């Protein structure tokens, strides 16, 4: 019997029970942090349609995303969160996403649109 594929977001759940359910549309991310983790997993899995669906309509790119299949993401570390729970309409998640050759350190902003968390924009910190 094969083992379930681990989720790229770093949580201990298998992909299908974690970010995979958000990517497939069978569930919505309940918090800004869950959306951040699912977007990281979408970058790892080259899931551009999910990235666009989870982007705020006000800041979503008009052109299709051109993800680099040669990019090798190696880990996600959540450093801080503010707001972003079921009781908030906005939140931030500060994270470090590592890749072969470096890392991205960003504070991302999220808002609810029609009840669903979406990515607004981010500020690079390093």
């Amino acid at each position: 019997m094969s083992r379930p594929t681990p989720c790229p977001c770093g949580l201990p759940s298998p992909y299908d029970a974690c970010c995979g359910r958000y990517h497939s549309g069978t569930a919505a991310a309940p918090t800004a942090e869950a959306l951040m983790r699912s977007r990281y997993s979408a970058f790892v899995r080259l899931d551009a349609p999910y990235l666009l669906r989870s982007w705020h309509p006000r800041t979503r790119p008009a052109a299709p995303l051109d993800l680099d299949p040669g990019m090798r993401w190696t880990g996600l570390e959540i450093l801080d969160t503010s707001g972003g729970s079921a009781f908030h309409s906005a939140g931030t998640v500060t994270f470090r996403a590592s890749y072969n050759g470096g890392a991205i350190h960003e504070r991302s902003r999220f808002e609810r649109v029609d009840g669903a968390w979406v990515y607004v924009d981010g500020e690079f910190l390093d």
Side-chain angles (χ1 to χ4, degrees):
M1 190 181 292
S2 65
R3 297 180 69 195
T5 303
C7 194
C9 80
L11 293 177
S13 300
Y15 169 74
D16 289 340
C18 195
C19 295
R21 60 198 171 125
Y22 308 139
H23 294 173
S24 70
T26 59
T31 65
E33 180 180 336
L35 184 68
M36 175 61 239
R37 288 180 177 280
S38 72
R39 286 179 56 82
Y40 171 82
S41 292
F43 275 104
V44 171
R45 297 177 63 90
L46 303 175
D47 188 346
Y50 177 77
L51 291 167
L52 290 171
R53 280 194 320 272
S54 62
W55 213 309
H56 197 293
R58 176 176 82 239
T59 57
R60 181 185 304 136
L65 295 181
D66 184 22
L67 302 178
D68 180 359
M71 181 70 127
R72 295 290 173 245
W73 296 98
T74 58
L76 175 66
E77 181 183 4
I78 302 297
L79 303 172
D80 188 40
T81 62
S82 176
S85 78
F87 304 105
H88 298 104
S89 60
T92 62
V93 179
T94 304
F95 67 92
R96 182 171 288 111
S98 300
Y99 58 89
N100 281 349
I104 295 171
H105 185 195
E106 182 178 313
R107 181 178 304 112
S108 293
R109 292 186 320 124
F110 299 88
E111 292 178 4
R112 284 187 187 260
V113 172
D114 298 327
W117 285 106
V118 291
Y119 169 78
V120 177
D121 59 20
E123 168 191 7
F124 290 113
L125 300 175
D126 288 340

